[in-house]
Amino acid sequence: MNDINTKESLPYKRVLLKVSGEALMGKGSFGVDPEMVEMVAADIAHVAENGVQVCLVVGGGNIFRGVAAATKGMDRAQGDYAGMLATVINALMLQNALERRDVGTRVMSAIHMASIAEPYIRRRAVRHMEKGRVVIFAAGTGNPFFTTDTAAALRASEMECDALFKGTQVDGVYSADPRTNPDAKRYNELSYTEVLTRDLRVMDATAISLSRENALPIIVFNMHAPGAFSAVIRGEGAFTKIVES
Ligand code: UDP
């Protein structure tokens, strides 16, 4: 991994990284791969140690998704609450991995669970970041019928982040699925409106709309390589930037 530049020369002061549940799953098809958690934590630690204020929204799709449970007859809202609890498990795993690297962290949950996480209080979250702590936002928005992508757009807007980094399994947004279509073309830059009108499905429409309303740039990149987040923060490697046209 290359050394990252100092805070002064980096284009970002405060960023939000959305870590999907799938990113923590590694090559498995369910749950958490401890090696992946270590890899992601090392990458986040590297960025935070070099002066960028970092907050995270973690997904839960590696453990439970309300929509999937609803197709099998479960009440959707109840399933979504279970999904939000899944994000808390992932948040605690990431917190543990970061703290073993001496990175100060706080987990803030949108659903009150005072024994394991602080309640989400916007001004307190800002203060944590100003003190150099990585804030991990758990339990999504705290509401069923939303996703953690929307939680990421919401928290990034509230925290006045310079950008939302969306770590995925592919290195940006493509015109078609690059895993099945060899002619798929990767976009370097897209507007929010293009993402919505072409139904590019990189994030759900609520998350894209919220980002558009708040002029929050979204950077989509592949998180499945060591140092991927550090590289994209420096503007290196492949990624797609979603901004206003
Ligand atoms: N969820 C929710 N409200 C939120 C965020 C998440 O109800 O604000 C639930 C929903 O059931 C979702 C699950 O939590 O399926 C896990 O989140 P998500 O699917 O966004 O995780 P990811 O795809 O990033 O792993």
Side-chain angles (χ1 to χ4, degrees), residues 18-23 57-68 76-77 79-87 90 139-151 166 204:
K18 162 70 204 295
V19 183
S20 73
E22 281 179 8
V57 164
V58 277
N62 55 323
I63 300 170
F64 201 90
R65 277 185 210 279
V67 167
R76 168 72 194 270
D80 279 341
Y81 280 109
M84 286 185 265
L85 296 185
T87 74
N90 289 332
T141 63
N143 301 291
F145 303 104
F146 286 93
T147 65
T148 51
D149 279 351
T150 297
K166 157 105 176 156
D204 59 85

